[in-house]
Amino acid sequence: MDIEQIRTYCLNKAQVTETFPFDQDTLVFKVAGKMFLLAPLEKWERGLASVNLKCDPDYALELREEYESIDAGWHMSKKHWNSVYIHKGELQPQFIIQLIDHSYDMVVKGLPKKVRDTLKSS
């Protein structure tokens, strides 16, 4: 999976925006203003593709135990975020998509009901 595939996939989700809130290197995707995916573009350019994704705390621990390519979120809350190292080649693209969907759904679940309802009608 390359960064353009991830970008296209994320932008096709309801109310998703892409921003660079921290610096010109860290691409961030948000749903209704809340982050669900971060990608360090400079690392992608060096062949070290990775993303940070929000995750249910129990599931995050399971994933870290099962996959060498998934670790506690770099520069993020270790409880709620995972770093997914795509460049290692261990994870299939469809599984990465599932992890992106899980992250998006976790953020949506935490939004106020009124905001969640607007996502359903999008």
Side-chain angles (χ1 to χ4, degrees), residues 21-71:
F22 306 114
D23 55 39
Q24 64 213 33
D25 176 56
T26 308
L27 175 60
V28 176
F29 291 95
K30 297 179 178 184
V31 54
K34 301 288 185 183
M35 297 187 304
F36 72 94
L37 185 148
L38 293 85
L41 297 180
E42 188 271 330
K43 287 185 180 180
W44 280 79
E45 290 170 7
R46 291 186 301 150
L48 302 172
S50 68
V51 293
N52 280 1
L53 297 167
K54 190 149 191 173
C55 193
D56 171 81
D58 293 330
Y59 186 43
L61 292 174
E62 287 176 33
L63 291 170
R64 293 172 200 166
E65 288 176 16
E66 187 170 345
Y67 297 99
E68 187 178 308
S69 299
I70 300 177
D71 204 357

Side-chain angles (χ1 to χ4, degrees), residues 72-118:
W74 180 255
H75 290 297
M76 306 294 286
S77 163
K78 308 291 186 230
K79 181 177 180 181
H80 296 281
W81 288 84
N82 280 335
S83 289
V84 177
Y85 299 100
I86 297 167
H87 70 278
K88 292 185 177 183
E90 176 185 21
L91 307 174
Q92 295 298 312
Q94 190 55 42
F95 183 60
I96 296 167
I97 292 295
Q98 290 173 6
L99 295 174
I100 292 170
D101 289 343
H102 176 74
S103 180
Y104 177 90
D105 292 343
M106 287 290 300
V107 173
V108 168
K109 187 170 94 175
L111 295 171
K113 183 179 180 330
K114 191 174 188 179
V115 177
R116 286 194 316 266
D117 289 345
T118 65

